[in-house]
Amino acid sequence: DLRKEYELIMATTAIHYINGGISNFGDDAIRNHELSEAYAFITSLHYNSDKLISDADLTMVQDYFREDMGGHKVPSLLNVTVTSLNEAKDKLSTVYGLDAVKDQL
């Protein structure tokens, strides 16, 4: 099914950009570019009505890229950690069966 393949492409691309953010964590400009791309691809997963990832897991992954601003969460790349990025990557790779290749994407 085309939607499943599209969803897999979005997930692998998000993991690719998370890896780039981790690799360039010390460079704010490159890290933020990589992670903004990752966040966009993660968000795109919402729009597949037949998505493999649950809404709860998708929100959890997005929350690794957000901070609480007066009671509602907004995207922010200033407070991410390598640990939280690895947790986001691990959740995506587990859901999509990519654990064996997640570090090579």
Side-chain angles (χ1 to χ4, degrees), residues 66-86:
R66 296 175 176 163
E67 69 177 277
D68 193 322
M69 298 289 276
H72 96 261
K73 295 180 181 178
V74 296
S76 173
L77 304 177
L78 300 175
N79 295 315
V80 296
T81 65
V82 171
T83 299
S84 66
L85 294 174
N86 277 314

Side-chain angles (χ1 to χ4, degrees), residues 2 7 9 11 15-16 22 26 28 30 35 38 42-43 48 51 55-56 58 64 69 75 84-85 97 104:
L2 184 58
E7 183 180 8
I9 290 167
I15 292 170
H16 166 77
I22 293 169
D28 290 346
I30 296 172
L35 296 182
I42 291 164
T43 300
N48 180 2
K51 64 186 172 293
D55 288 335
L58 186 53
Y64 290 120
M69 298 289 276
S84 66
L85 294 174
Q104 288 81 44

Side-chain angles (χ1 to χ4, degrees), residues 45-49 51-63 66:
L45 295 171
H46 256 301
Y47 301 102
N48 180 2
S49 59
K51 64 186 172 293
L52 183 60
I53 192 168
S54 70
D55 288 335
D57 283 346
L58 186 53
T59 298
M60 178 194 330
V61 171
Q62 287 177 307
D63 282 349
R66 296 175 176 163

